[in-house]
Amino acid sequence: MSVLPRRERRRQAGRSARGGIVSLAGKTPQRTVGSYWPYATTLFDYVRRAMPITNPLSLTDDEVYAVSAYVLFLNGIVGEDAVLNAQTLPQVRMPNHDGFVSDWAARARN
């Protein structure tokens, strides 16, 4: 058990988990929540479908919002006291929001 206060442990964990946009620049880019995903709603969907690993889809929506808020906080995207819900989550602006381009070829509409 660490002798560091809980807040200090979270701050240090956040430093190592943080993967800002610069983590994509280089020979071995690191795809993290903070550097890769263009939408915060993608995080919500992933957490809802995958957590906990031993019992996926068992978290309530409020629990998924709380986990999402914590991960976004660790990545420096939202503040420590951010409250996420169906209205506020889509408003979160991800650092790499404009870094994605469509690979799909334009197609004619009928």
Side-chain angles (χ1 to χ4, degrees):
M1 176 145 207
S2 174
V3 295
L4 292 174
R6 183 176 178 202
R7 179 170 276 185
E8 179 61 18
R9 287 193 316 265
R10 283 192 315 186
R11 188 179 67 75
Q12 288 182 0
R15 239 187 281 135
S16 63
R18 206 172 283 187
I21 211 73
V22 293
S23 68
L24 289 177
K27 293 181 182 179
T28 56
Q30 297 176 1
R31 293 180 180 165
T32 67
V33 171
S35 68
Y36 186 69
W37 288 356
Y39 305 105
T41 52
T42 305
L43 173 63
F44 177 89
D45 182 59
Y46 179 79
V47 169
R48 185 171 54 87
R49 291 174 189 247
M51 289 187 69
I53 196 166
T54 57
N55 193 13
L57 297 170
S58 64
L59 298 179
T60 66
D61 283 348
D62 286 342
E63 291 170 327
V64 176
Y65 284 118
V67 170
S68 299
Y70 182 65
V71 171
L72 292 170
F73 164 70
L74 288 178
N75 279 267
I77 297 169
V78 299
E80 185 174 6
D81 46 350
V83 176
L84 295 183
N85 56 42
Q87 290 72 40
T88 60
L89 182 68
Q91 296 173 4
V92 173
R93 179 92 174 159
M94 299 297 282
N96 198 30
H97 182 268
D98 296 325
F100 277 74
V101 293
S102 177
D103 242 2
W104 294 89
R107 59 180 209 199
R109 297 205 179 247
N110 294 336

